[in-house]
């Protein structure tokens, strides 16, 4: 038995010794760690504290100190790493993040920081590639690289600047292309047309041959449409718009010189009309109200709003979106604001007087307490009786109290928004409710309501465009007169109040004083000896007079100061053209004279692309017919070639040529552009006799 227990005792003794030594070692490590922490050697201090907690895991103090210092040191390392990352020192930031993870492997900020460093390195490569592509002119690819860099780190300032620069270059390139296309387009070239009751397809064919305009007609465009138009030196685009308006047609631009013509029906517009999606961010007006305005005024159907972010998304034609943007710009203006300087003065005057001789109003005669029998009462003498209440006093008191209670708040308010000021107390009013029960008693339920007592001011300003402010004022002054106890411990108050409501209109900086809320109280009390106190002259010697006199007045002074006046609408959004009842257009349909009519000659954009006439007689006048169709051309020589006018005559006149009364075609001259040709408006002007077959 001893042979079995001997080694066991030795093992237990060794274990106890080891625990004692471990405890001593952990204590020494913890003490050394705290000393190193005080000296500023945080790396070694945290290591010592962690080792002490490992040697003695049941010691809560060691573990708490280790966890606290580890978190503090790790957070400090991550903060330093983020500062280094923001300053561009990626190497130092990586070392600090790695050190923080070594100290505290659960530090998620350090782990994310290392990931962000990798993304930063990737973003640097993407931005460098974006700059190279932008210099080479590959703007879409440059934008793609910048967007990828910004997606990795939305807070990357360099990526934001690069993306903004690329987008600016893309917009400039787009505007350059638009300007170049507009310069090369024939839509702004001058043209002179004189057609009467001419077939629409032939008019477009003549216009196409003479100006180079490409016209594609939808299959549903009727072949029997006719037009009558007389314009001189008008732009091709405006002229085409007028022709289309006459026949309820619409156009779609395919390129600078090509138009697609289709009927202006709802089905065709849905099929061919280009739509855009535009997102508006409004901040100064209710987005729901803006949605209702666009729906009711512009008849916009596809519109959605997000009240949380104040975003309005609209899908419509380019003209409708352009008009809507002006309407939104006219409404999305900052609200006027005004600073109200208020002074409230309560003037109070109280007088208390107590003058006169205070005589006893009652006398009591009593016997000594030892007298309790009739014999003893019979034996009493006058000197044994006790008298009380024989006291005479003189009151000479006069007390005056003057007080001024001043409140001088300043409050800033938006236009047509209420502003409230309360200077006073919220008095609790306790109400108890008794609910009967079957046992015979009752359950008392208490509730507390609060009543505002003091000075209450309400303002609602309205700022006008002439630097004046209209103010709706509500003033109330209240005080507790007395407390009124109720049943079951409830409590109520009698509250005296004075209020006034008014609306004033003041100039900016003008001060208005409102007064007259006066409360006066006068009370007199007299105490006199009956009979003697009513004697004239000397009656005051046999009485006492006391009186109270109180008067309070409320004076309100208010001064408005406009901090932000009403927005003045720009002329570009004050009056906006919106098209017709059935269609929305950004610009009005009009014919502005260009080219020769403007006096342009020689150089200039329009002179480089001069007017080309597309005017040709429609057909020979029939005998005894009063209708005729003709066209005249008066334009400068063009730089481009075109079909001579005499080749267009068969198209519009049919095959009837060579008759006696036929108009003479202009000679076929070989200039680089069609020579100016003038054809008569009728057969009579050409010298042909009436009735020529």
């Amino acid at each position: 038995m001893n042979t079995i227990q001997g080694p066991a005792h030795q093992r237990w003794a060794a274990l106890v010794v080891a625990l004692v030594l471990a405890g001593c070692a952990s204590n020494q490590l913890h003490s050394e760690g705290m000393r190193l922490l005080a000296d500023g050697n945080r790396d070694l201090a945290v290591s010592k504290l962690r080792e002490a907690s490992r040697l003695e895991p049941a010691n809560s103090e060691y573990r708490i100190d280790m966890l606290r210092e580890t978190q503090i040191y790790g957070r400090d390392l991550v903060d330093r790493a983020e500062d280094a990352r923001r300053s561009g020192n990626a190497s130092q930031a990586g070392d600090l993040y790695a050190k923080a993870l070594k100290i505290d492997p659960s530090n998620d900020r350090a782990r994310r920081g290392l990931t962000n460093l990798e993304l930063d390195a990737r973003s640097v490569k993407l931005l460098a590639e974006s700059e190279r592509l932008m210099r080479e002119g590959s703007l879409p690819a440059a934008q793609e690289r910048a967007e990828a860099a910004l997606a990795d780190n939305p807070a990357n300032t360099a990526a934001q600047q690069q993306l903004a620069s690329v987008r600016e270059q893309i917009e400039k390139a787009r505007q350059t292309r638009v300007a170049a296309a507009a310069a090369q387009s024939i839509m702004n070239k001058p043209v002179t047309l004189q057609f009467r009751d001419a077939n629409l397809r032939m008019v477009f064919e003549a216009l196409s041959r003479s100006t180079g305009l490409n016209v594609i007609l939808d299959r549903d465009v009727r072949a029997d449409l006719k037009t009558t138009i007389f314009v001189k030196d008008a732009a091709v685009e405006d002229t085409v718009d007028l022709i289309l308006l006459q026949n309820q047609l619409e156009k779609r631009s395919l390129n600078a010189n090509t138009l697609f013509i289709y009927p202006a029906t709802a089905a065709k517009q849905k099929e061919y009309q280009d739509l855009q999606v535009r997102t508006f961010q409004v901040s100064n007006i209710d987005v729901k109200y803006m949605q209702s305005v666009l729906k009711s005024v512009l008849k916009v159907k596809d519109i959605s709003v997000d009240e949380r972010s104040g975003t309005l998304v609209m899908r419509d034609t380019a003209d409708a979106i352009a008009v809507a943007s002006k309407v939104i710009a006219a409404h999305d203006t900052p609200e006027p604001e005004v600073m109200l300087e208020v002074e409230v003065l309560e003037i109070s005057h109280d007088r208390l007087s107590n003058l006169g001789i205070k005589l006893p109003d009652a006398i009591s005669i009593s016997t000594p307490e030892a007298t309790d029998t009739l014999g003893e009462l019979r034996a009493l003498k006058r000197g044994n009786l006790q008298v009380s209440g024989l006291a005479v006093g003189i009151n000479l008191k006069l007390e005056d109290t003057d007080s001024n209670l001043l409140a001088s708040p300043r409050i800033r308010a938006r236009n047509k928004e209420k502003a409230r000021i309360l200077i006073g107390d919220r008095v609790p009013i306790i109400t108890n409710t008794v609910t009967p029960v079957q046992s015979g008693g009752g359950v008392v339920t208490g509730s507390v309501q609060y009543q505002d007592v003091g000075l209450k001011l309400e303002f609602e300003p309205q700022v006008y465009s002439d630097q004046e402010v209209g103010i709706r004022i509500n003033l109330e002054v209240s005080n507790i007169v007395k407390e009124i106890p109720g049943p079951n411990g409830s409590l109520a108050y009698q509250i005296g109040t004075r209020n006034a409501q008014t609306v004033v209109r003041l100039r900016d900086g003008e001060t208005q004083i409102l007064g007259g809320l006066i409360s006066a109280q006068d009370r007199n009390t007299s105490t006199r000896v009956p009979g003697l106190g009513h004697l004239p002259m000397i009656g005051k010697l046999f009485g006492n007079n006391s009186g109270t006199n109180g008067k309070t007045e409320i004076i309100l002074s208010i001064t408005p100061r406009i901090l932000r006046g009403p927005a003045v609408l720009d002329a570009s959004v004050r009056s906006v053209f919106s098209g017709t009842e059935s269609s929305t257009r950004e610009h009005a349909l009009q014919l502005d004279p260009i080219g020769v009519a403007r006096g342009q000659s020689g150089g200039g954009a329009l002179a480089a692309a001069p007017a080309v006439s597309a005017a040709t007689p429609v057909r020979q006048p029939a005998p005894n017919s009063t209708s005729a169709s003709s066209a005249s051309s008066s334009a400068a020589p063009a730089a481009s070639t075109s079909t001579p006018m005499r080749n267009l005559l068969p198209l519009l006149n049919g095959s009837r040529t060579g008759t006696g009364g036929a108009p003479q075609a202009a000679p076929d001259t070989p200039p680089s552009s069609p020579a100016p040709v003038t054809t008569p408006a009728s057969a009579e002007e050409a010298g042909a006799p009436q009735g020529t077959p």
Side-chain angles (χ1 to χ4, degrees):
M1 193 71 179
N2 293 333
T3 58
I4 297 176
Q5 292 180 352
H9 284 295
Q10 292 177 1
R11 287 195 298 270
W12 279 106
L15 180 60
V16 170
V17 171
L19 290 175
V20 171
L21 293 177
C24 295
S26 62
N27 186 27
Q28 183 179 0
L29 288 171
H30 180 267
S31 300
E32 187 176 357
M34 298 302 292
R35 181 183 59 80
L36 291 172
L37 189 66
D39 294 340
N41 192 350
R42 303 177 71 177
D43 292 333
L44 190 56
V46 171
S47 177
K48 297 288 184 182
L49 292 176
R50 182 178 287 107
E51 184 66 19
S53 179
R54 187 187 65 80
L55 292 176
E56 195 172 347
N59 194 321
S60 301
E61 180 183 0
Y62 293 173
R63 183 169 179 79
I64 290 174
D65 289 341
M66 184 269 296
L67 292 176
R68 183 182 66 249
E69 297 304 327
T70 299
Q71 288 183 353
I72 293 175
Y73 190 33
R75 184 170 61 248
D76 181 62
L77 288 174
V78 172
D79 292 340
R80 289 163 52 191
E82 290 181 351
D83 292 339
R85 179 191 168 204
R86 282 191 291 267
S87 62
N89 195 340
S91 177
Q92 182 183 0
D95 294 340
L96 291 172
Y97 282 133
K99 190 175 182 180
L101 279 177
K102 183 179 179 181
I103 292 174
D104 183 11
S106 63
N107 195 325
D108 188 61
R109 289 181 60 197
R111 188 176 294 105
R112 289 200 311 267
L114 290 175
T115 304
N116 291 333
L117 285 177
E118 296 177 359
L119 294 178
D120 289 344
R122 179 172 177 268
S123 298
V124 169
K125 295 180 180 179
L126 289 173
L127 292 178
E129 189 175 357
S130 176
E131 292 180 359
R132 178 182 60 80
L133 291 172
M134 187 171 65
R135 289 193 299 269
E136 293 175 357
S138 301
L139 297 179
Q143 181 180 3
E144 181 183 354
R145 304 299 192 279
E147 289 176 347
L150 191 61
D152 291 340
N153 182 13
N156 193 333
T157 306
Q160 294 174 356
Q161 295 176 352
Q162 177 66 16
L163 182 59
S165 178
V166 172
R167 287 176 175 173
E168 183 180 359
Q169 292 297 326
I170 291 176
E171 180 64 20
K172 288 182 178 179
R174 187 191 67 81
Q175 293 178 358
T176 302
R177 289 196 304 270
V178 171
Q184 297 175 1
S185 174
I186 65 172
M187 301 302 291
N188 293 324
K189 292 181 179 180
V191 65
T192 297
L193 296 180
Q194 295 184 14
F195 288 109
R196 182 183 295 113
D197 217 13
N199 185 275
L200 182 67
R201 295 175 182 265
M202 293 184 179
V203 172
F204 277 133
E205 186 175 355
L207 192 62
S208 175
R209 292 191 178 188
S210 58
T211 63
L213 176 66
N214 300 322
V215 179
I216 302 174
L217 299 178
D218 184 80
R219 63 180 182 179
D220 293 331
V221 176
R222 292 165 46 195
D224 58 344
L225 294 178
K226 296 184 178 182
T227 184
T228 299
I229 185 171
F230 298 90
V231 295
K232 182 178 181 180
D233 292 325
V236 173
E237 182 177 13
D238 295 338
T239 304
V240 171
D241 288 341
L242 285 176
I243 295 174
L244 298 180
L245 183 63
Q246 290 178 349
N247 295 274
Q248 289 78 46
L249 300 175
E250 284 286 349
K251 74 175 188 299
R252 176 178 176 180
S253 298
L254 302 181
N255 56 38
N257 301 326
T258 305
L259 296 179
F260 180 77
I261 309 299
Y262 59 91
T265 60
K268 290 295 182 179
Q269 288 179 346
K270 289 182 179 180
E271 183 177 356
Y272 294 127
Q273 203 170 46
D274 289 331
L275 300 180
Q276 294 181 357
V277 176
R278 174 76 178 274
T279 301
F280 298 94
Q281 191 82 25
V282 297
S283 57
N284 299 298
I285 193 168
D286 183 22
V287 67
K288 296 290 288 184
Y289 168 75
M290 201 68 250
Q291 181 188 25
S292 64
V293 169
L294 295 178
K295 282 186 175 181
S296 60
V297 176
L298 298 183
K299 305 299 185 294
V300 178
K301 296 181 180 179
D302 299 334
I303 185 170
S304 177
V305 298
D306 182 9
E307 296 185 70
R308 179 184 55 85
S309 59
T311 304
L312 187 146
V313 182
M314 173 181 170
R315 183 174 184 263
D316 213 313
T317 62
D319 285 336
I321 288 179
V323 175
S325 65
K326 295 179 181 179
V327 175
I328 293 175
H331 286 79
D332 191 20
T333 56
E335 286 282 346
E337 288 188 271
V338 61
M339 176 72 76
L340 299 176
E341 299 177 358
V342 184
E343 290 185 356
V344 182
L345 182 65
E346 182 178 6
I347 302 174
S348 176
H349 175 72
D350 296 321
R351 166 167 288 190
L352 174 62
S353 62
N354 193 358
L355 302 174
I357 300 174
K358 185 177 181 182
L359 297 175
D361 52 3
I363 298 176
S364 62
I365 301 175
S366 61
T367 60
E369 294 181 358
T371 306
D372 52 1
T373 63
L374 291 176
E376 292 176 352
L377 182 61
R378 219 181 267 116
L380 288 178
K381 298 180 181 180
R382 288 187 304 174
N384 298 122
L385 297 175
Q386 297 177 358
V387 180
S388 63
L390 294 177
V392 179
I394 300 176
N395 293 325
L396 300 173
K397 182 180 180 181
L398 182 62
E399 181 179 344
D400 288 331
T401 303
D402 295 324
S403 62
N404 294 333
L405 301 179
L406 179 64
S408 181
R410 292 188 177 187
I411 188 168
R412 183 169 178 168
R414 290 175 56 185
N415 188 52
K416 296 184 180 180
E417 295 287 344
K418 286 186 178 180
R420 294 180 176 87
I421 299 174
L422 172 63
I423 303 174
D425 302 314
R426 293 179 60 85
V427 179
I429 300 176
I430 302 174
T431 304
N432 293 329
T433 304
V434 180
T435 304
V437 294
Q438 294 180 356
S439 61
V443 178
V444 180
T445 304
S447 62
V448 180
Q449 296 179 351
Y450 289 91
Q451 175 71 35
D452 295 332
V453 177
L455 174 65
K456 291 191 293 184
L457 287 171
E458 287 188 1
F459 303 97
E460 185 177 346
Q462 181 177 358
V463 183
Y464 298 96
S465 58
D466 55 354
Q467 297 298 306
E468 290 189 355
V469 182
I471 310 173
R472 187 182 300 275
I473 304 172
N474 186 3
L475 170 64
E476 180 179 339
V477 181
S478 57
N479 63 305
I480 298 176
V481 177
K482 64 178 181 180
E483 296 181 354
I484 303 175
N488 300 318
S490 61
L491 186 63
Y493 297 93
Q494 179 181 344
I495 298 176
T497 179
R498 285 167 286 168
N499 53 48
Q501 295 181 355
T502 185
V503 179
V504 297
R505 181 163 177 168
L506 306 175
R507 293 188 302 273
D508 182 22
E510 180 182 359
T511 301
Q512 178 65 48
I513 297 177
L514 305 175
L517 292 178
I518 301 174
S519 174
Q521 183 179 5
D522 192 358
R523 178 179 299 174
N524 293 316
T525 304
S526 298
T527 305
R528 301 179 183 180
V529 177
L532 297 177
H534 296 283
L535 295 175
M537 302 298 294
I538 62 174
K540 293 183 178 181
L541 299 176
F542 301 96
N544 182 67
N545 296 319
S546 62
T548 57
N549 185 290
K551 182 179 180 181
T552 59
E553 181 179 2
I554 303 296
I555 296 177
L556 173 66
S557 171
I558 182 169
T559 303
R561 300 193 183 277
I562 299 176
L563 302 181
R564 182 185 291 114
V568 179
L569 295 181
D570 188 75
S572 60
V573 298
R574 188 182 300 119
S575 178
V576 180
F577 179 79
S578 62
T580 63
E581 179 69 21
S582 60
S583 63
T584 302
R585 293 175 57 92
E586 183 182 7
H587 302 291
L589 185 61
Q590 56 188 7
L591 281 175
D592 292 331
I594 59 177
V596 177
R598 284 185 177 177
Q600 296 181 359
S601 60
L606 293 176
V612 179
S613 66
T616 314
V618 177
R619 61 171 57 92
Q620 288 287 0
N624 301 326
S625 175
T626 58
S627 63
S629 300
S630 63
S632 64
S633 170
S634 58
S640 60
T641 60
S642 178
T643 304
M645 293 301 298
R646 66 177 184 175
N647 295 333
L648 300 181
L649 294 178
L651 294 175
L652 301 180
N653 290 337
S655 59
R656 299 188 60 179
T657 57
T659 57
Q664 299 295 325
D668 188 4
T669 56
S672 59
S673 62
V677 177
T678 302
T679 58
S682 61
E684 292 83 350
E685 296 178 5
Q690 296 185 7
T692 303

